[in-house]
Amino acid sequence: MKNIDQYIQNKQTEMFNQFGAIFAFSQKQFDEQKKENVIYVNIGLGLLCPKENAKKCIESINEISKEKVSLDLKYNSKESIIKRELYNREAFYTGELDDTIEALCEYPFTKEEIYKVFKEEYKNADVW
């Protein structure tokens, strides 16, 4: 199987194209991409979608997210997933786990499990 993130990214791109969704972080970007006579709604994080497709787009995003979690759990251990997210959010430098806990909210992990992996890995982390 190819990289899970690439697989999911391709699915998302196809879905965004299907629903006419665009990413715009400024008025200029929006003006360059928008279709005439289309009313867009802001879904969040710079994602704009034609109003008539917004509900389907959000539902598809949620389904793709569930699929990503399922694939991640299939190909990676709980510990490796938690470690990856701890490192991605620099938890060993900041000592803060809230971002990691939030990032893993769709996974079947408890806060206690995340804290346990953090404590075990902190001993080995090269943060100083």
Side-chain angles (χ1 to χ4, degrees):
M1 164 168 216
K2 57 183 163 182
N3 179 289
I4 293 171
D5 288 330
Q6 185 63 47
Y7 174 77
I8 296 302
Q9 185 177 7
N10 291 344
K11 284 192 86 153
Q12 286 178 329
T13 299
E14 290 172 17
M15 183 268 302
F16 295 148
N17 291 336
Q18 175 187 353
F19 293 124
I22 59 174
F23 281 94
F25 301 97
S26 69
Q27 187 64 44
K28 182 179 184 243
Q29 288 177 334
F30 176 67
D31 291 340
E32 290 170 350
Q33 298 179 75
K34 70 180 181 180
K35 303 288 185 212
E36 291 300 318
N37 302 317
V38 173
I39 297 171
Y40 289 87
V41 294
N42 186 344
I43 294 178
L45 302 173
L47 181 60
L48 305 162
C49 187
K51 187 175 181 176
E52 66 270 9
N53 295 335
K55 183 177 178 182
K56 290 178 186 175
C57 187
I58 291 168
E59 290 170 353
S60 293
I61 289 169
N62 290 335
E63 288 303 312
I64 292 170
S65 181
K66 288 177 187 174
E67 183 178 353
K68 179 182 179 184
V69 169
S70 177
L71 289 170
D72 203 6
L73 290 167
K74 180 178 179 179
Y75 292 104
N76 298 294
S77 70
K78 173 175 38 177
E79 184 175 299
S80 68
I81 293 168
I82 294 171
K83 282 182 188 179
R84 177 190 69 214
E85 298 305 323
L86 288 165
Y87 279 103
N88 282 346
R89 283 153 185 81
E90 299 185 345
F92 300 107
Y93 290 102
T94 66
E96 296 291 327
L97 299 182
D98 291 344
D99 290 343
T100 304
I101 292 168
E102 185 176 335
L104 294 171
C105 69
E106 295 184 45
Y107 288 77
F109 307 151
T110 65
K111 289 180 184 179
E112 291 76 21
E113 290 171 317
I114 296 168
Y115 283 120
K116 181 180 179 193
V117 172
F118 173 79
K119 285 196 261 183
E120 291 171 2
E121 185 66 14
Y122 186 80
K123 298 172 195 170
N124 304 319
D126 184 21
V127 295
W128 310 110

